[in-house]
């Protein structure tokens, strides 16, 4: 199974700050089949990025994904108040599909 | 607009059975996979499994194989997640989600909270 390790576990940031979240895979993610989700408290998760760098419909341009192989990043430019949430990566290049353990962005 | 509406919260005792549901609308139900994701208290997301309503083909995550049953009824556009004998460790929020090509989830239900306690 591919293990996804996200870092940091918690990131403290201020509004308007730009942040970068990391997702490292234990093996190569085939075809860069990696997605990112946002999960706000009390809400359902929301797809942000798929295929490592393609924004989902309706996702603001301040969210961008990059990476390949085993190392992937999600960058959020200029944090908005609604961006303080949990973020998960998920690989779908191999079975079983797996999620990372998540990164929490909280207010500094 | 794609909508996934899940059944309400459940409180059950260990050993009891349970079937929760997820009604889909806004897309052709038999064209896409639909799956379930678990979130245990204070924990992250876990990929449980998916079903293709067109032919009921089902895939399970290793931790969930044999522990739950995922199914779909194409006559009612509804997906199901069921247990025959609940354990306290099944206490969690369960999300259904539309899965694109066995890959990523691009639309999610509101979640069903399941509490198993004696």
């Amino acid at each position: 199974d591919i293990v996804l390790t996200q870092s940091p576990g918690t990131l403290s940031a201020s509004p308007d700050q730009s942040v970068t979240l990391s997702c490292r895979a234990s093996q190569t993610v085939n075809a860069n089949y990696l997605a990112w989700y946002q999960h706000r408290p009390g809400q359902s998760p929301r797809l942000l990025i798929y295929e490592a760098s393609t924004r989902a419909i309706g996702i603001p341009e301040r969210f961008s994904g990059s990476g390949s192989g085993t190392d992937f990043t999600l960058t959020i430019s200029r944090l908005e108040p609604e961006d303080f949430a949990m973020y998960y990566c998920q690989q779908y290049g191999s079975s079983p599909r797996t999620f990372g353990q998540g990164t929490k962005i909280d207010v500094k | 607009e794609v909508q996934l509406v899940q059944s309400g919260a459940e409180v059950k005792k260990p050993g009891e059975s349970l079937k929760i549901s997820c009604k889909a609308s806004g897309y052709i139900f038999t064209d896409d996979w639909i799956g379930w994701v678990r979130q245990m208290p204070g924990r992250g997301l876990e990929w449980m499994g998916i079903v293709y309503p067109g032919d009921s083909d089902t895939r399970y995550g290793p931790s969930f194989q044999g522990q739950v049953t995922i199914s779909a009824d194409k006559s009612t556009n509804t997906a199901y997640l069921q247990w025959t004998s609940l354990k306290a460790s099944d206490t969690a929020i369960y999300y259904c989600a539309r899965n694109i090509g066995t890959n990523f989830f691009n639309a999610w239900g509101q979640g069903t909270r399941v509490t198993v306690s004696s």
Side-chain angles (χ1 to χ4, degrees), chain A residues 1 33 35 37 39 42-47 49-51 88 90-92 95-101, chain B residues 6 37 39 43-47 59-62 95 99 101-111:
Chain A
D1 298 6
Y33 280 166
Y37 302 88
H39 194 190
Q43 298 188 20
S44 302
R46 176 173 72 145
L47 175 69
I49 302 285
Y50 61 94
E51 288 181 20
Y88 296 94
Q90 180 226 330
Q91 67 80 23
Y92 52 96
S95 292
R97 308 323 193 198
T98 48
F99 285 97
Q101 85 282 14
Chain B
Q6 297 184 228
V37 174
Q39 185 176 36
R43 307 291 293 273
L45 304 178
E46 297 176 88
W47 197 95
R59 316 278 172 87
Y60 291 94
Y95 294 98
N99 188 261
T102 77
N103 299 324
F104 52 87
F105 297 105
N106 76 340
W108 295 69
Q110 83 276 21

Side-chain angles (χ1 to χ4, degrees), chain B residues 5-59:
Chain B
V5 179
Q6 297 184 228
S7 50
E10 301 274 1
V11 179
K12 306 292 278 187
K13 289 182 166 44
E16 292 186 331
S17 62
L18 177 64
K19 191 173 188 176
I20 62 175
S21 66
C22 170
K23 185 167 178 61
S25 61
Y27 71 100
I28 300 173
F29 186 62
T30 49
D31 278 0
D32 289 318
W33 295 76
I34 187 165
W36 294 90
V37 174
R38 182 174 77 177
Q39 185 176 36
M40 297 174 73
R43 307 291 293 273
L45 304 178
E46 297 176 88
W47 197 95
M48 298 182 71
I50 53 176
V51 59
Y52 188 72
D55 62 6
S56 295
D57 186 9
T58 312
R59 316 278 172 87

